């Protein structure tokens, strides 16, 4: 179907990127009318049966309601015990393998030459017509070049510079929270803090920071990609808005550089001053991809760890007492929160050749899903894995950041943000009471919360 | 008995004995030397056991394989002397080796 190649490939010097995306949307609608567009699955929530009622072949862990309905623990336990390399032939996302034990996930993640991250790391494909290119979904050597160009922005040296700004912005949010009355922790704290952080990283207009969170949510929510609640028109609209916003920011910084100003230490300035990426704006899908990767990578994940930590301490109240008695446990607790929450449930790969694993033959071209959410609860690798233990030994040895060449680039930033949050929370509040069961995201990829009502008790004295 | 010396970024020195076949990462973590996280437990898959070893020692340690080179490429503080401590296996010949730690692990 060569005729239907994506049209977003022109230099943005000729056609502004958001107009190209508009064109692509029109084209996609046209394809749909002709019956040439790929069908998009729809998801309606039904009650998920206990795993014991199913045969192995019927188990489908791509169900986007598995986390919300709390069934994921028993489903993955069964796969780990009975079918550690499991084939699901008929999911709404097509056939895929699930790898669910800690050691096997490590193996797949490490062997990028056997398991390619291309073309994308979600179970399903990206929305047709806006297939953005990001290095999380590129193999070496292309991956390495692009990652090296941007990782300075979240490297520890830079974080040291940013720490006081992040702390100041965190304090500002916490000082303005209501005390002794219910409010939504997700919106007032988790989303607000991550939006502030992203605006700082990108040097994005600060008053418009909530756009970043919204764009990122839409980018991760397409039904065909992760079973989310997005829809095609919205995906195109947001891609257009992102393209416009980020191109303007790029051109602005480019102009400043050309006029002789020193480059800032934000993401776009870094890209503009690197030989390999200074023309990235002329490769629109790559440009958009890198911007999207940073905001998606840094958004849901940290946000849901901020919510997950509060939720975990409410379910394990003894741990809160331990924490108050010894705040020096915060860094270790941060790792435990990230393990316990596992904000991204998996990464997907494609086998580059036939691979034998636990007696199963994964065929070249098959999709392979590494379920971090399962590996982080694998009793073969982690003692008492369902318990939240803030002084757990080897708490850093978890799968939530992945391993190998794609290991999370933002992991130090995420840990720093969470550390600051908990230090500042402990110095202000005696209790953060979760008032009711939180609401969960509909997705097989993002393991997180859409809202959680809490009530704060101020610290005495 | 063979020993190696680990020097933290702030200059703190640790003189540590080892058994042949142990990795530098294992020696460091067993002795709780701060500055080596070793998040992957020695699988060459996290890059958080980054160290610097001077050429005089490095040359006798053998070639860096592709896997290690690729992980090292992602270390922001990578230098000519960079190694991943979990990939450096010690033998009797390494008695007296000096290993320096970077300011950060990533
Ligand atoms: C708790 C928070 C976070 C979690 C759980 C998380 C999780 C992950 C995971 C699982 C991967 C893929 C690993 C693999 O394929 O082996 C990844 C990659 C990545 N993450 Fe994160 N992440 C978090 C925070 C962040 C932040 C704050 C940023 C940036 C601001 C970020 C940026 C990235 C990037 C750019 C990649 C791609 C790296 C590559 O392909 O080389 N992440 N993250
Ligand atoms: S311990 Fe992870 S790379 Fe050495």
């Amino acid at each position: 179907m060569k005729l239907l190649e994506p049209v977003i490939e022109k230099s943005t010097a000729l056609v502004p990127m958001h107009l190209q995306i508009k064109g692509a949307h029109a084209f996609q609608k046209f394809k749909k009318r002709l019956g040439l567009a790929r069908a998009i699955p729809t998801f309606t929530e039904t009650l998920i049966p206990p795993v014991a009622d199913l045969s192995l072949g019927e188990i489908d862990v791509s169900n986007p309601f598995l986390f919300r309905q709390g069934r994921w623990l028993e489903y993955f336990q069964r796969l780990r015990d009975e079918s550690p390399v499991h084939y699901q032939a008929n999911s709404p996302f097509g056939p895929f393998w699930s790898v669910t034990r800690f050691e096997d996930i490590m193996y797949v993640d490490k062997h990028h030459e056997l398991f390619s991250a291309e073309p994308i790391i979600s179970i399903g494909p990206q929305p047709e017509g806006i297939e953005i290119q990001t290095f999380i979904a590129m193999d070496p050597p292309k991956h390495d070049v692009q990652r090296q160009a941007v990782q300075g922005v979240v490297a520890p040296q830079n974080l040291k510079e940013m720490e006081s700004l992040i702390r100041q912005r965190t304090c500002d949010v916490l000082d303005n929270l209501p005390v002794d009355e219910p409010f939504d922790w997700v919106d007032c704290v988790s989303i607000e803090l991550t939006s502030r952080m992203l605006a700082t990283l990108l040097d994005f207009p600060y008053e418009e920071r909530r756009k970043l969170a919204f764009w990122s949510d839409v980018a991760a929510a397409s039904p065909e990609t992760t079973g989310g609640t997005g829809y095609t028109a919205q995906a195109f609209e947001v891609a257009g808005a992102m393209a416009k916003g980020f191109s303007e920011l790029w051109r602005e910084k480019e102009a400043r550089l050309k006029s002789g100003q020193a480059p800032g230490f934000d993401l776009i300035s870094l890209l503009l001053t690197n030989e390999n990426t200074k023309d990235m704006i002329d490769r629109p899908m790559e440009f958009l991809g890198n911007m999207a990767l940073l905001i998606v990578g840094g958004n849901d994940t940290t946000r849901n760890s901020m919510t997950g930590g509060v939720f975990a301490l409410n379910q394990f109240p003894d741990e809160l007492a331990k924490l108050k008695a010894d705040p020096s446990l915060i860094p270790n607790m941060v790792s435990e929160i990230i393990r316990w929450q596992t904000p991204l449930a998996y990464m997907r790969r494609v086998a580059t050749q036939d691979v034998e694993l636990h007696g199963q033959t994964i065929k070249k071209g098959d999709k392979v899903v590494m379920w971090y959410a399962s590996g982080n609860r694998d009793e073969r690798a982690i003692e008492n894995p369902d318990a939240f233990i803030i002084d757990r030994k080897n708490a850093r040895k978890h799968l939530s950041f992945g391993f190998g060449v794609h290991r999370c680039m933002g992991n130090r930033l995420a840990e720093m943000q969470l550390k600051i949050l908990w230090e500042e929370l402990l110095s202000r509040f005696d209790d953060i009471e979760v008032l009711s069961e939180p609401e969960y995201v509909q997705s097989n990829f993002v393991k997180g919360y859409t809202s959680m009502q809490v009530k704060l008790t101020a610290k005495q004295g | 008995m063979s020993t190696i010396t680990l020097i933290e970024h702030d200059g703190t020195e640790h003189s540590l004995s080892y058994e042949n076949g142990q990795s530098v990462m294992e020696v460091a973590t067993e002795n709780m030397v701060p500055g080596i996280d070793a998040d992957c437990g020695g699988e060459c898959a996290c890059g958080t056991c980054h160290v610097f070893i001077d050429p005089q020692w490095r040359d006798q340690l053998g070639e860096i394989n592709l896997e290690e080179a690729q992980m090292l490429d992602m270390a922001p503080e990578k230098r000519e002397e960079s190694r991943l401590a979990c990939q450096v296996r010690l033998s009797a010949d390494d008695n007296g080796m000096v290993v320096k730690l970077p300011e950060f692990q990533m």
Side-chain angles (χ1 to χ4, degrees), chain A residues 269-421:
Chain A
S269 297
L270 281 181
L271 291 172
L272 273 167
T273 48
N274 184 295
E275 224 12 73
N276 294 308
T277 50
K278 68 179 181 2
D279 301 320
M280 191 180 268
I281 194 134
D282 294 330
R283 301 186 294 277
M285 280 319 189
E286 202 175 299
F287 172 69
L288 259 191
N290 270 292
M291 295 295 133
L293 176 56
L294 258 278
I295 63 171
V296 176
N299 184 46
D300 282 329
T301 51
T302 319
R303 176 201 301 178
N304 290 318
S305 307
M306 289 178 171
T307 309
V310 171
F311 189 42
L313 283 170
N314 266 260
Q315 287 184 33
F316 297 87
D318 293 352
E319 300 302 302
L320 180 60
K322 228 192 253 176
L323 175 67
K324 285 203 228 166
D326 183 4
S328 76
L329 290 172
I330 288 176
N332 204 71
M333 175 177 81
V334 164
S335 292
E336 177 69 349
I337 289 173
I338 294 170
R339 179 193 71 89
W340 189 82
Q341 182 60 36
T342 318
L344 297 181
Y346 68 83
M347 287 284 146
R348 182 258 272 197
R349 300 290 186 256
V350 174
T352 59
Q353 60 186 74
D354 291 4
V355 183
E356 188 93 10
L357 201 59
H358 282 294
Q360 305 277 3
T361 305
I362 298 170
K363 288 267 179 229
K364 178 178 176 174
D366 285 356
K367 289 184 190 178
V368 180
V369 180
M370 305 177 277
W371 289 98
Y372 300 136
S374 169
N376 274 339
R377 302 299 180 98
D378 181 359
E379 41 296 279
R380 292 158 194 81
I382 297 168
E383 204 176 307
N384 196 5
D386 291 332
F388 177 75
I389 304 171
I390 66 169
D391 51 356
R392 181 184 285 282
K393 269 209 192 107
N394 291 326
R396 300 192 59 84
K397 201 182 169 193
H398 61 69
L399 291 166
S400 299
F401 291 130
F403 280 113
V405 294
H406 289 288
R407 181 172 168 80
C408 179
M409 190 180 94
N411 71 67
R412 297 291 161 173
L413 172 59
E415 287 173 353
M416 183 177 95
Q417 275 186 284
L418 290 165
K419 178 174 109 28
I420 291 174
L421 173 64

Side-chain angles (χ1 to χ4, degrees), chain A residues 405-457:
Chain A
V405 294
H406 289 288
R407 181 172 168 80
C408 179
M409 190 180 94
N411 71 67
R412 297 291 161 173
L413 172 59
E415 287 173 353
M416 183 177 95
Q417 275 186 284
L418 290 165
K419 178 174 109 28
I420 291 174
L421 173 64
W422 280 101
E423 285 168 1
E424 298 303 329
L425 282 172
L426 272 190
S427 72
R428 283 172 178 72
F429 307 111
D430 248 351
D431 195 21
I432 312 168
E433 187 192 348
V434 176
L435 300 173
S436 53
E437 181 76 4
E439 306 270 332
Y440 294 87
V441 176
Q442 172 186 326
S443 174
N444 56 33
F445 181 61
V446 174
K447 204 163 145 285
Y449 313 88
T450 52
S451 71
M452 186 171 82
Q453 292 293 315
V454 302
K455 195 176 70 166
L456 295 173
T457 309

